[in-house]
Amino acid sequence: MGDSSVTPRLGSLKALLGIVAGAGASYGIYKLISRHSIKKNKKSVTSESAGDRISSQPSDSVMQPGSLLARVSGMQVICPQRSDASSEITHQSPSNMEPKHLKMLLLCLQSSNNTSERCKILLTLGNSAAFTSNQNLIRESDGIPIIAGFLCDPEPDVRVQTLNALNNLCMNIQNQEQLTVYVPQVLELIEMSQMNSDLQLSALRLLTNLSVTDKHQHLLKQSVTLLLSLLVVGSEALQVQALKVLVNLSSNPDMMDDIVQAQAPASVLLLFDAKTAQPVLLRLLTFAGNLKAWRPSSQVADELRRRRDCLFRVLLDESSQLHSKLVQLLSHPDGEVKAQ
């Protein structure tokens, strides 16, 4: 499972959450950005070496007679011809893709040295993956590991398009089985990326689709602390996306023990306010409603009360300020908010 690889990274967020709880979201942003800078420096060597490997591939010479592309096409293919072929395919309607088109795009993706070209190919593959037949064809062509390999691409735009393509491929039960192995890597991208970036949003969208059913939710049980921290430091768009994942997880009773034990910033309570954006507030109330439906034994409740920073203490304990916050929201001008 990916739990053991995710736990060390999430454990490093404990300092962040303690500071956010005591000093507010502004200092939490500083900690996230600081941590991102450190990790970015650590990753620079890996990114440079990956770039070296890519640039070492031939770009303007005739491909070797024994190469895969040469065998598939039945003739020697030079890169300009390959680029023209991929360009022609990317202009076709995604619904009209044939197996040969998808296979050619996957081949071009693997051999491309150009960031713009990789983005266009990934965009085309992602658009084509909106159709069930293409989702199956890409999987049967071993396209999922090929596409997922670009989660490590040094260019953020390429990683975003990779996540978007995987997100569409995820709308297929058989594809999800292959995609689960990349959950730790996707969580790492969320943790390392710049706050409120397209990269974080795309990664959260993928996790949202993976967590729609109960089958793979256990892979995210160690991510609750990360998701809660994004709520108090993220933009409205990021808050909504993080809450979609939290609502999915909290809808599963088997996940509740892990959720209520997760470390949580006390400042989550501040979001239960009339000033909070309605899309965020509605999902936050849905999440809280799922938590309230959980009924722990007195022994479990007593044990959780001894954990000062856990979500149970912040939102569910008798000492929590959530009840008074909810009473105030009964006078909210939005009817949906009051009903929720």
Side-chain angles (χ1 to χ4, degrees):
M1 275 319 155
D3 296 348
S4 60
S5 63
V6 178
T7 302
R9 294 194 301 277
L10 295 182
S12 66
L13 280 172
K14 291 182 179 178
L16 163 66
L17 294 176
I19 293 170
V20 170
S26 60
Y27 193 60
I29 296 173
Y30 165 75
K31 292 294 290 180
L32 275 180
I33 293 174
S34 298
R35 192 170 190 280
H36 163 67
S37 299
I38 295 172
K39 285 201 170 188
K40 185 176 180 183
N41 290 336
K42 289 182 178 179
K43 292 289 181 179
S44 61
V45 176
T46 304
S47 299
E48 290 170 3
S49 62
D52 292 341
R53 289 195 297 274
I54 293 172
S55 62
S56 65
Q57 297 174 359
S59 59
D60 55 1
S61 59
V62 176
M63 298 189 70
Q64 296 300 316
S67 69
L68 178 59
L69 187 55
R71 292 201 301 273
V72 169
S73 63
M75 58 184 294
Q76 289 185 330
V77 182
I78 60 174
C79 287
Q81 291 174 331
R82 182 198 64 219
S83 299
D84 291 343
S86 66
S87 178
E88 181 179 344
I89 296 172
T90 56
H91 283 86
Q92 293 195 25
S93 171
S95 60
N96 293 331
M97 287 287 180
E98 298 179 18
K100 63 180 181 180
H101 295 147
L102 294 172
K103 289 179 180 179
M104 178 60 74
L105 285 175
L106 291 169
L107 286 170
C108 291
L109 180 63
Q110 289 176 285
S111 57
S112 174
N113 299 328
N114 184 278
T115 297
S116 178
E117 184 181 38
R118 291 199 299 275
C119 286
K120 288 179 181 178
I121 295 173
L122 286 165
L123 176 62
T124 303
L125 288 168
N127 288 340
S128 68
F131 300 89
T132 303
S133 58
N134 291 336
Q135 293 167 0
N136 293 327
L137 285 171
I138 291 173
R139 181 187 68 254
E140 292 162 2
S141 301
D142 296 324
I144 291 178
I146 291 173
I147 294 171
F150 289 87
L151 290 172
C152 299
D153 194 276
E155 294 296 330
D157 289 344
V158 174
R159 296 199 296 272
V160 168
Q161 292 300 337
T162 299
L163 287 165
N164 292 340
L166 295 177
N167 187 32
N168 281 348
L169 287 167
C170 187
M171 306 301 288
N172 180 300
I173 298 299
Q174 290 176 284
N175 288 353
Q176 285 188 6
E177 297 298 327
Q178 291 190 27
L179 287 167
T180 54
V181 300
Y182 303 106
V183 168
Q185 196 172 354
V186 173
L187 287 170
E188 185 177 13
L189 281 176
I190 295 172
E191 191 177 358
M192 289 171 50
S193 301
Q194 182 179 355
M195 277 302 302
N196 304 316
S197 62
D198 289 340
L199 202 53
Q200 284 187 322
L201 286 170
S202 295
L204 285 170
R205 290 189 188 103
L206 176 57
L207 295 183
T208 300
N209 284 338
L210 274 174
S211 62
V212 167
T213 64
D214 296 353
K215 188 170 185 180
H216 307 299
Q217 290 177 348
H218 65 281
L219 299 173
L220 298 175
K221 66 182 181 180
Q222 299 294 336
S223 70
V224 177
T225 294
L226 172 61
L227 295 169
L228 291 171
S229 69
L230 294 177
L231 288 184
V232 298
V233 297
S235 63
E236 178 181 333
L238 198 73
Q239 289 174 319
V240 167
Q241 210 60 52
L243 279 165
K244 286 182 179 180
V245 182
L246 287 169
V247 168
N248 285 348
L249 299 182
S250 62
S251 299
N252 181 359
D254 294 335
M255 289 290 298
M256 202 59 69
D257 287 348
D258 295 295
I259 293 173
V260 297
Q261 292 182 63
Q263 189 177 17
S267 49
V268 167
L269 275 169
L270 299 177
L271 294 173
F272 291 88
D273 187 270
K275 295 179 181 178
T276 298
Q278 189 248 25
V280 176
L281 190 54
L282 278 175
R283 289 173 175 82
L284 189 64
L285 289 168
T286 302
F287 176 56
N290 290 344
L291 295 180
K292 286 285 188 180
W294 179 68
R295 295 287 183 269
S297 65
S298 57
Q299 181 179 356
V300 170
D302 288 340
E303 181 180 344
L304 288 170
R305 286 189 186 100
R306 289 193 285 271
R307 302 185 182 189
R308 293 184 56 188
D309 299 327
C310 71
L311 187 61
F312 177 85
R313 283 287 299 272
V314 173
L315 293 184
L316 299 180
D317 194 22
E318 295 174 356
S319 61
S320 171
Q321 298 177 25
L322 178 61
H323 181 73
S324 61
K325 291 280 188 181
L326 294 178
V327 171
Q328 294 173 17
L329 288 174
L330 288 174
S331 60
H332 196 282
D334 185 89
E336 267 193 282
V337 170
K338 287 192 287 188
Q340 190 64 47

